[in-house]
Amino acid sequence: MKKVVVDRSICLKAGQCYYLQPSVFRADSQGWPEIIVEHPEGEELEAAEDAVEICPSGAITLEDA
Ligand code: SF4
């Protein structure tokens, strides 16, 4: 099982993750990404993998949980 992790120390709050993959991420009131599905599977895992690719700062990783 995978776990979605966002490293806030390098996140730019640009929002690609929650705009492009809203099944897994959403914005909090300050523009930080919140992880909706911490352990994605199936289509949500594919969405999380896509977010890893599109994040401009490399802040999103999928770790073995
Ligand atoms: S795409 Fe990356 S840099 Fe942009 S808000 Fe999401 S985690 Fe942060």
Side-chain angles (χ1 to χ4, degrees):
M1 181 175 283
K2 294 292 185 179
K3 180 181 181 187
V4 184
V5 177
V6 172
D7 183 347
R8 284 195 177 196
S9 70
I10 55 175
C11 171
L12 303 169
K13 293 204 285 187
Q16 281 92 332
C17 55
Y18 46 77
Y19 288 128
L20 297 175
Q21 299 301 348
S23 65
V24 179
F25 302 90
R26 67 182 170 208
D28 74 7
S29 61
Q30 296 183 315
W32 290 107
E34 284 185 341
I35 298 162
I36 306 168
V37 184
E38 193 173 15
H39 300 289
E41 296 181 278
E43 288 185 2
E44 290 172 339
L45 178 57
E46 290 178 17
E49 290 169 342
D50 187 59
V52 171
E53 296 294 320
I54 60 178
C55 174
S57 66
I60 306 171
T61 53
L62 281 168
E63 299 182 352
D64 290 322

